[in-house]
Structures are given as C-alpha cells and as structure tokens.
Amino acid sequence: MQSRPARNGQHGPVLLDDSRTRFRLWAPDAQSVSLVLDGSEALPMHEGEDDWYSIEAEAGAGTRYSFLIDNELQVPDPASRAQSGDIHDPSVVVDPDAYQWRNRDWLGRPWHQTVLYELHVGAYGGYAQIEQRLQALAELGVTAIELMPLAEFPGDRNWGYDGVLLYAPEASYGTPEQLKHLIDTAHGLGLMVFIDVVYNHFGPDGNYLHRYAKHFFRHDQQTPWGDAIDFRRREVRDFFIDNALMWLMEYRFDGLRMDAVHAIPDRTFLTELAERVRAEAEPGRHVHLVLENEDNRSSLLTQGFTAQWDDDGHNILHTLLTDESQGYYADYHQDSTNKLVRFLGEGFIYQGHQNRRGESRGEPSGHLSPTSFVLFLQNHDQTGNRAFGDRLIGLTDPDALKAATAVLLLSPMIPLLFMGEEWGAREPFLFFTSHHGELADAVREGRRGEFAEFAEFADETTRERIPDPNAVATFEASKPDFSKFDQPEHAEWLALYRQLLKIRHEVLVPRLDGSRFLGAEALGEAAALARWQLGDGSELRLELNLSSNDIVITPASAEARLLHSSRQSGAEQSPNKLPARTARMCLNDVPDRRTGEMNER
C-alpha cells in the first residue's frame, strides 16, 4: 500500500500504509486525549492548532481503538469507519481501498430515469438479503434503491434516525465490504443506490461530543431533538461534508436523500455541501442530491440540489383517498380540490401560503421541472408515523388507490415506492428502536404521547395499545412477507405496477428531460385535469377523478392516444365521461420542429 496524505482538518483515521495509521480528534473541551489500541496502554496524543489532537501509531486495518478523554472517559471515534460492537465499544481501523470494485466504470443514470424504491435494510434482513431481490426489482422497472439511514445506532433495531457514529455503517446489517458488494451488485444490474443521511441531529444514546466538543452544538437554536448543530464552525461543516463525500466517493452511492434539512438553520452549509460534491465527482458521473424540506425552499433546487420529496403531493392525495383530517392532514382537508390542482399544476401546494396555524411556508415552484419533485403514496414516515403503521392498501378504496398509483407512476414527477407497496403488502411498518432503561421508557411514552391529540387516542388506556417501539415483536411485525407474492391479490397489484412502469420507461422516460408544468384545473369535487409539456414538445394529459361520482368532461383531442386508464372495462372508456375513482393518462404527440413529422419516440 502506498502512503496516502491526510488532509488537514480531516476527521477520522487515515491508514498511511499497511501498518501505520494517523489518528485525529477535534476536542476543544478536553484537557488531554490519549489513544488506546486494542486494550493496550494509552498513548498521549499531540495537541496541535485549533484544538486538534493527533498521533501516528503502529496500527493496520482491523485494529481496535478508542480515545481516552482527560484520563477518565474512554470513547469511540466520532468518525469511526466501523465498530467492533455497538456504539459504546471501540472503533476499528478500516482500509477504504480493500474492496475490489467489479463495476468501476459505472457512472450512474440521468435523474429523469429514476424510479426509487425505499427500503429498511434491517427489515429486509441485511445487505446480503437485499442483493437476492435486486434482480426482481430491476425487472419490475425500479432503477434505484434508497436505503434508510445506515449510521451506527444503539442496539440492532432502529429506523436509523438515532445514528450517532455517522461514518460507520451499522454493524448488525453487515460489514463495510458487504455494503460495497451490495452497491457493486446493484450497479451491475443497472440500479442506482441512494442513502438517507441525517445531518440535523445525533441520536440520544452514545453521543459523547457534548463532553469534549460541545461547540458542535449551539444552545441559542433548538430543533425537535435538542440543541441545533453549529454549522458556523469549519470543523463541524467538514465533519458532515466529508461524511457525504465518503458515501459518494468511497462507497460509490449514486445519491443522498438528506433528512429534514429544514432543521438545519445555516442554509450556506447546504449550498457548500452541494458545491463540494459537484466539484469532487468524476467527470460524467451522475450524482443526485435529494432533500426532505418542510419549508419548501424551491430555490435550493436551483443551487446544486436535484429534487425534493413532495410531502404536499402525498398529503393531498392521502387526504382525498382516506378523508383523514387530523394532525397535519388538516392543512390539506380544507379546500382540498384547489390544493390538488395546485399540486398537479405547480409541484408544491404551500408556496408562501398559510397553514392551519397561520404560519406561511414555501416558495413558488411552478417554474421548476416536474422532475424536481419526488412523489410517493407511501414512505417510511407516512406509514411508520401512524400509530399502527397502517399501509394505504387497508385505508382506502382499491379503485381509488389504483387511480392514485397511475398518477404516481405516470406523471412526470419522480416516483418513489416503499418496500412491499408494489405487491400490495399489508404488513405494517411500525416505529421501532432497541433502547434500554429510562431512555426506552421515554421513547415509548413519547411515542404514545404523539397521538394524544387524536380523538381515537384521547384516553391513556387507548394509547397503551400503540405498539412499544422497543419490543422485538414490533420490529418483527414490520418485515414484509415476501412469501405472499404468488397470492392472487398480491399478483394483481404486482402486475399493475409492472404494467405502469413499462409504460413509463418505454413512452415517458425518453421524453422527460426538459419537461415543464402547463397547469391544472378543477373538474369537480376531488377531480382535476393536469397537463405537462414533455421535453420533445409532446403534451401529457391527466384526467383524475378521486370522488365517488362520475363527471362529464371535455375529451382530449382526437390526436391524443390513451396510455392508461385505471378503469379497464370498455363500457367505462367514454372520452366524455370520467368515472368515479379513475385516472386516465393521454399523450398528444406533436410535429417535430426539425422534420415536421409526428414524433413517436
């Protein structure tokens, strides 16, 4: 192994050659820091500039180590690349170049080709089990899998949003090499791989930064998880940006889904992260940065970020499908038809509009491409944040769900499926953790307290029926039962998803790049007509009726061809009538400006 340089300010260990490693720790609140290797005597580390402690020591890949703070507290490396056990145990030196990539020339796929499939690695059984299902996902029409957060968390069951060692993939899922093998295998099948990263907080158990680097946080700004992270500090920014670059460059993930960036108060951190990623990605490589952002800051989507999860789209469709009006659905239940129109015609619903509390949020979005929005009917939050983890298939009329599924898979927005959705899985996806002691009690009671404002959970006895997040049974119940694929009900749903994704890839994807909104209008209660201009100039038309009544409409032009109707019987295909709970998608090809001929690409 050739000696590799260690960048000044870089967090975490750097393997210099086969037998030596440079260790570094930013510890401005420590009086002394020592390195402990495999249980040997502590080696005092040198205190350099800007509160960095460092040492070079005889330690090759596989060496266990930890840091001793002020001769009293032994802690793992906050930038550990792997753990020997759980979050409180020693860290492990990892050779980042040990894995030999088979698909080294993979450059990813253009964003407009993306069909995302979100999954939880633990519920799937680990990296090796996911590999066994990649071929089936690729054949279905999925082009990217999105892994829920992988950062080391306490115990071996967690959604992943309690991660505390952000550089170390969760050991219960497999080794770093097994994760790379999963990504490599996916690339060989033409699948991109995304990772969900959490840069807005650390988990409540195992975070020692408050003891020796309290300047990671700022007390003057709060988030739902406590003190905000202080992105004003160079060391803190580099910690998170280097983490993003590790996943993208070393592990060769194709993109990041950034969790709840509205809880990151310093917007300049986000734009710097995007700039650094764009600057360091290899020429010609497709790297995608996707946001979750309740603030609907559409301006970020012109500053290096590819797209945003469209919670507005999910929330209005869910409200119309279920008639639910509690919690945040109250913001969508009132005036729901006009909100459906705004979503279909402009992407976001809240573009500076006020919510039920009189708070305004959002920025105008109609100028963006429809591919700037990731649309979903279900995801880990929208399913798991329900008291009993109900999936949408058990909450609404099947015909209405089929209509909404057509919107999901045939609109120009980027579709995201949640594991099991494609075959109508009915297993719940519950909120689960593996905390212990007082923290476990607090999480359980906090979870139940979240539903106190809901009428059906008004009394404490009713709330006690909500599954305990820390119970093993809660995690086990959240695993999709893949043995049900061949049952008639599930085969029907799988066939629908396969049919719609086939249309998407054959007809729409070649035309999606450069598409734009053309607006939408109400057709009646819970019904709308939406149009989009695709990149080749053709026009895509959606006729959507989620109400329980048939409506009369002006039909599409004679030149338009029907791509799909969620109602299959011929008697219900009259172009002048849109039956209840129906979606119809039509494409109107236009003369190619260069040839004057009909464009049938």
Side-chain angles (χ1 to χ4, degrees):
M1 175 188 296
Q2 294 183 343
S3 176
R4 65 169 63 86
R7 178 175 57 76
N8 185 37
Q10 181 175 337
H11 292 263
V14 174
L15 196 61
L16 300 175
D17 55 37
D18 289 337
S19 61
R20 288 189 68 78
T21 298
R22 181 187 184 191
F23 298 90
R24 290 169 57 83
L25 181 70
W26 185 58
D29 298 298
Q31 300 303 310
S32 67
V33 180
S34 299
L35 174 69
V36 181
L37 294 174
D38 275 331
S40 63
E41 291 186 11
L43 304 173
M45 298 176 68
H46 171 69
E47 183 178 4
E49 296 181 358
D50 300 323
D51 302 308
W52 283 93
Y53 290 81
S54 64
I55 189 174
E56 291 186 13
E58 295 293 325
T63 303
R64 298 170 11 129
Y65 71 98
S66 56
F67 296 121
L68 181 62
I69 308 296
D70 296 338
N71 294 315
E72 62 182 24
L73 177 64
Q74 197 161 319
V75 301
D77 188 342
S80 166
R81 295 299 189 92
Q83 286 297 100
S84 59
D86 207 350
I87 54 172
H88 302 286
D89 296 314
S91 303
V92 179
V93 176
V94 171
D95 180 1
D97 298 327
Y99 181 79
Q100 299 299 307
W101 293 89
R102 294 165 293 159
N103 296 286
R104 188 174 295 277
D105 295 332
W106 168 263
L107 294 175
R109 300 180 65 149
W111 175 246
H112 67 274
Q113 296 179 4
T114 305
V115 175
L116 287 158
Y117 187 89
E118 187 191 25
L119 61 88
H120 185 277
V121 176
Y124 248 70
Y127 304 132
Q129 293 299 315
I130 295 173
E131 274 197 43
Q132 295 180 17
R133 302 199 176 276
L134 291 180
Q135 181 71 49
L137 290 174
E139 292 173 355
L140 176 67
V142 168
T143 64
I145 60 171
E146 180 177 310
L147 309 182
M148 288 175 66
L150 301 180
E152 273 280 3
F153 51 72
D156 57 7
R157 306 182 308 278
N158 198 291
W159 269 22
Y161 299 90
D162 287 334
V164 290
L165 300 176
L166 304 192
Y167 287 70
E170 169 58 32
S172 66
Y173 296 162
T175 66
E177 287 71 28
Q178 287 176 315
L179 173 57
K180 291 177 180 178
H181 193 275
L182 166 63
I183 296 168
D184 203 5
T185 302
H187 289 169
L189 293 169
L191 292 168
M192 297 182 285
V193 187
F194 287 66
I195 182 174
D196 192 342
V197 294
V198 183
Y199 293 161
N200 49 54
H201 75 288
F202 292 90
D205 182 16
N207 176 17
Y208 295 100
L209 289 169
H210 289 282
R211 168 62 178 81
Y212 60 83
K214 63 182 66 174
H215 298 296
F216 248 87
F217 308 93
R218 53 187 302 180
H219 306 301
D220 61 326
Q221 290 189 343
Q222 296 295 303
T223 73
W225 309 280
D227 291 344
I229 292 171
D230 193 351
F231 289 101
R232 298 171 300 181
R233 291 187 170 270
R234 182 77 264 158
E235 297 86 353
V236 176
R237 283 186 176 229
D238 283 346
F239 180 88
F240 291 97
I241 292 174
D242 285 349
N243 180 259
L245 292 172
M246 179 198 74
W247 294 122
L248 294 170
M249 307 307 170
E250 180 184 324
Y251 282 86
R252 300 197 64 78
F253 278 96
D254 298 277
L256 309 177
R257 181 265 189 186
M258 299 184 63
D259 178 68
V261 300
H262 50 270
I264 297 176
D266 193 331
R267 178 169 171 167
T268 63
F269 161 74
L270 295 173
T271 54
E272 181 183 347
L273 183 150
E275 290 170 1
R276 289 273 300 277
V277 166
R278 301 302 176 197
E280 300 202 23
E282 303 95 320
R285 185 177 170 200
H286 298 284
V287 174
H288 309 299
L289 301 177
V290 182
L291 300 172
E292 180 197 24
N293 187 358
E294 286 185 3
D295 291 341
N296 283 1
R297 289 183 182 174
S298 59
S299 53
L300 283 171
L301 302 179
T302 62
Q303 295 178 314
F305 291 93
T306 311
Q308 177 177 315
W309 274 29
D310 196 349
D311 283 308
D312 279 356
H314 165 274
N315 293 348
I316 188 60
L317 290 172
H318 185 96
T319 299
L320 291 170
L321 289 171
T322 66
D323 199 34
E324 292 182 4
S325 60
Q326 299 194 76
Y328 49 76
Y329 292 128
D331 285 334
Y332 299 86
H333 193 267
Q334 185 176 14
D335 197 25
S336 57
T337 300
N338 285 331
K339 288 173 180 172
L340 173 67
V341 167
R342 194 182 308 144
F343 149 63
L344 291 172
E346 302 178 40
F348 289 147
I349 293 173
Y350 285 89
Q351 305 178 36
H353 302 78
Q354 291 188 344
N355 63 16
R356 67 189 185 281
R357 297 189 177 95
E359 303 162 340
S360 63
R361 66 180 179 90
E363 299 171 348
S365 61
H367 62 287
L368 297 171
S369 168
T371 58
S372 298
F373 304 90
V374 175
L375 181 61
F376 41 85
L377 297 179
Q378 302 177 84
N379 62 34
H380 73 275
D381 264 336
Q382 306 297 351
T383 304
N385 283 342
R386 302 181 68 83
F388 299 105
D390 316 280
R391 288 180 177 262
L392 194 54
I393 193 170
L395 301 173
T396 189
D397 174 85
D399 287 334
L401 183 53
K402 289 175 183 177
T405 301
V407 177
L408 171 68
L409 299 181
L410 295 183
S411 86
M413 302 180 204
I414 300 299
L416 177 142
L417 315 181
F418 184 59
M419 60 177 190
E421 173 186 340
E422 74 279 13
W423 49 275
R426 291 183 177 271
E427 290 78 20
F429 187 72
L430 298 158
F431 176 65
F432 49 81
T433 59
S434 48
H435 296 308
H436 301 283
E438 293 182 359
L439 180 57
D441 294 337
V443 169
R444 180 177 58 253
E445 295 310 311
R447 171 70 172 170
R448 291 171 177 171
E450 292 176 6
F451 297 95
E453 66 177 90
F454 289 75
E456 61 265 43
F457 301 109
D459 64 273
E460 186 174 344
T461 301
T462 305
R463 290 196 297 274
E464 288 179 355
R465 294 192 295 109
I466 297 173
D468 179 358
N470 299 290
V472 175
T474 302
F475 171 65
E476 294 295 330
S478 301
K479 295 181 178 180
D481 186 353
F482 295 103
S483 68
K484 295 180 178 179
F485 261 75
D486 57 353
Q487 295 181 1
E489 175 195 3
H490 299 299
E492 179 184 353
W493 282 103
L494 190 61
L496 174 64
Y497 275 74
R498 182 173 287 113
Q499 174 196 8
L500 293 175
L501 286 172
K502 186 174 187 290
I503 295 171
R504 183 179 187 88
H505 287 299
E506 291 183 355
V507 180
L508 299 183
V509 167
R511 309 163 185 255
L512 279 185
D513 193 24
S515 59
R516 64 186 182 92
F517 291 102
L518 289 180
E521 62 186 84
L523 296 174
E525 186 70 23
L529 169 69
R531 297 180 303 116
W532 300 272
Q533 185 178 75
L534 303 184
D536 65 347
S538 59
E539 182 177 304
L540 187 66
R541 170 184 166 117
L542 167 68
E543 300 165 359
L544 177 65
N545 181 9
L546 293 178
S547 76
S548 57
N549 299 308
D550 297 353
I551 59 175
V552 176
I553 65 170
T554 302
S557 67
E559 292 79 18
R561 54 186 169 119
L562 180 67
L563 297 181
H564 175 78
S565 173
S566 62
R567 292 276 190 168
Q568 298 301 317
S569 72
E572 295 175 315
Q573 296 304 315
S574 169
N576 299 299
K577 182 179 76 171
L578 187 61
R581 304 184 181 95
T582 298
R584 283 201 297 246
M585 195 71 77
C586 301
L587 182 69
N588 189 4
D589 291 302
V590 297
D592 188 291
R593 293 183 178 87
R594 293 164 298 180
T595 66
E597 298 175 355
M598 294 300 290
N599 185 342
E600 292 287 347
R601 283 186 293 169

